[in-house]
Amino acid sequence: MNNQSFLRRWLVRYGTLVLLIVPLLIIAFVTNNFGSVLIQRLATILFINLTLVLGLQVFMGNSGILNFAHIGFMGIGAYASVLFSMSPEAKLQTLPTIYPFLLHIHLPFMPSLLIGAGIAALIAAIVGFPLMRISDAAAVIASFALLVIIHVVLAHWSEVTAGPKTLFGVDPYTTLWVSAIWGILFVVLAYLFEESSLGLKLRASRDDRYAASSIGINIMSVRWAGFVLSAFAAALGGGLWAHFITSFDPANFYLAETFVILAMLVVGGPQSVSGAVVGTLGITVIFEGLRAIENAVNISQMLSTPLVGFTEIFLALAMILILVRRPSGIMQGQEIRWFRKLRKPQVDPEPGDPMQAGKDL
């Protein structure tokens, strides 16, 4: 009986992770072993998106503050990781004006990925101090301004980003299982953060920051911690994406990608990790499917004019309809639970129990 009680309590607390991770592992295994090259690419993109969306959920879902700068940190992680992983010969070809001290740095993929994420987290830690002091519309506008600043820097710092030109020659280190492992790892980290005291304090500041301050919660500190962790996840996802696509430019880390990642979180439900996972799975499949249809129509020349923007318009309409019907997203801010609650075993009262007599009255 004690073992059953322990198992039940464990499933109540961590059953969500089991219910989220097992399907993701099945998707990775089946796709890797039986899927076509196209399906494997779709699954790889799905897990990279999952890392990005979970990073956004860590801050936005728990703080209630919309963070437009998230994709900017993705770009920082992409360029930073590439600078450390590319060979000197490849750097000279794509970055002819690179700084000499960066030219001969050539590290393995994993250290480069973590260094890139660490650089983005450090930048977030520095800029986060003043930004986390503001709330509501001012915070949203400030995060959008930060995205613009990051985009301008990436688009004009030719020595490290090739400026507005396409950066090419990146080694394709990101495989399906690499992206899957990182995506699943961030499912665990996002859930543990949500269940931690820090996550609880951050949600308290979201629900009522004045009440949270009155009980001793340092709102700026908890927001800052969530913001830095979110930037780390975004940058790591950017590094994975860069080493999968292998050629990109600063435009890939701006408004279009911001809209897609934000749509995944909003549609699934920003206030839960389950919502982030469900939204990522659904929107990735829909987005990639619509884009394939759009490309097929354009290649076949079925229409007199090219079909442009069909995917984005359809996705925007779908997001509007879902938000009209379910403003909190598909998951309504709830986690997938193995058991909703623990029920205490009922014990029959002994005859003459005064407590039971009171209830009978």
Side-chain angles (χ1 to χ4, degrees):
M1 188 65 180
N2 290 334
N3 291 336
Q4 292 180 354
S5 177
F6 172 79
L7 177 61
R8 187 179 177 88
R9 290 181 182 276
W10 190 91
L11 289 175
V12 168
R13 186 167 186 178
Y14 299 109
T16 297
L17 287 177
V18 177
L19 294 173
L20 292 177
I21 290 174
V22 170
L24 294 175
L25 285 173
I26 293 174
I27 291 173
F29 177 80
V30 172
T31 303
N32 186 67
N33 289 279
F34 306 104
S36 63
V37 175
L38 179 61
I39 297 300
Q40 290 180 11
R41 286 183 61 86
L42 176 60
T44 305
I45 292 173
L46 185 150
F47 284 110
I48 294 173
N49 288 341
L50 182 61
T51 300
L52 294 168
V53 175
L54 286 168
L56 183 59
Q57 192 277 332
V58 165
F59 178 71
M60 176 179 162
N62 290 290
S63 70
I65 299 175
L66 179 59
N67 180 20
F68 280 109
H70 190 70
I71 299 304
F73 291 116
M74 174 190 175
I76 293 173
Y79 280 104
S81 63
V82 165
L83 281 175
F84 286 96
S85 67
M86 287 180 69
S87 65
E89 295 77 15
K91 290 177 184 178
L92 282 176
Q93 290 182 0
T94 189
L95 297 168
T97 60
I98 188 173
Y99 297 120
F101 73 92
L102 289 174
L103 178 61
H104 297 288
I105 298 177
H106 187 199
L107 300 178
F109 170 57
M110 202 56 63
S112 301
L113 191 66
L114 294 175
I115 291 173
I119 291 173
L122 178 61
I123 295 173
I126 295 172
V127 302
F129 278 110
L131 292 182
M132 296 304 104
R133 295 178 179 274
I134 55 181
S135 304
D136 304 325
V140 177
I141 295 172
S143 71
F144 184 77
L146 180 58
L147 172 64
V148 173
I149 292 171
I150 294 174
H151 175 71
V152 170
V153 171
L154 294 179
H156 292 86
W157 199 357
S158 301
E159 289 80 5
V160 295
T161 68
K165 297 183 295 184
T166 299
L167 181 70
F168 58 89
V170 182
D171 294 313
Y173 289 126
T174 301
T175 63
L176 172 57
W177 274 113
V178 168
S179 64
I181 290 172
W182 279 110
I184 292 171
L185 177 61
F186 273 99
V187 170
V188 176
L189 292 177
Y191 184 78
L192 293 179
F193 179 84
E194 181 182 76
E195 295 293 310
S196 67
S197 61
L198 184 60
L200 182 61
K201 291 176 182 178
L202 189 55
R203 291 195 299 279
S205 70
R206 175 196 68 192
D207 297 336
D208 192 330
R209 62 178 181 271
Y210 301 108
S213 297
S214 68
I215 60 174
I217 295 177
N218 189 326
I219 295 179
M220 193 199 76
S221 295
V222 295
R223 284 180 178 177
W224 179 82
F227 185 70
V228 172
L229 180 58
S230 176
F232 181 88
L236 196 140
L240 292 172
W241 185 86
H243 289 89
F244 175 69
I245 298 297
T246 69
S247 62
F248 51 90
D249 60 72
N252 294 121
F253 310 105
Y254 204 35
L255 297 180
E257 186 68 13
T258 297
F259 170 70
V260 174
I261 297 301
L262 186 61
M264 292 177 183
L265 182 59
V266 171
V267 168
Q271 296 181 4
S272 68
V273 176
S274 300
V277 174
V278 170
T280 302
L281 291 173
I283 297 299
T284 297
V285 173
I286 293 172
F287 183 81
E288 295 298 329
L290 291 174
R291 191 161 66 174
I293 294 173
E294 184 176 328
N295 292 336
V297 170
N298 291 333
I299 292 173
S300 63
Q301 298 183 343
M302 295 174 58
L303 302 177
S304 57
T305 58
L307 186 62
V308 179
F310 168 74
T311 302
E312 288 76 10
I313 292 174
F314 188 93
L315 184 60
L317 290 174
M319 185 169 67
I320 291 172
L321 290 175
I322 289 176
L323 290 178
V324 169
R325 299 299 301 270
R326 301 177 76 90
S328 298
I330 294 174
M331 294 303 298
Q332 294 287 287
Q334 300 294 319
E335 297 288 359
I336 299 174
R337 298 291 185 185
W338 200 288
F339 296 107
R340 281 295 170 185
K341 62 180 180 179
L342 284 172
R343 294 181 178 179
K344 295 181 179 181
Q346 296 183 355
V347 180
D348 294 333
E350 297 181 2
D353 189 340
M355 296 299 294
Q356 183 62 34
K359 291 180 181 179
D360 294 338
L361 291 176

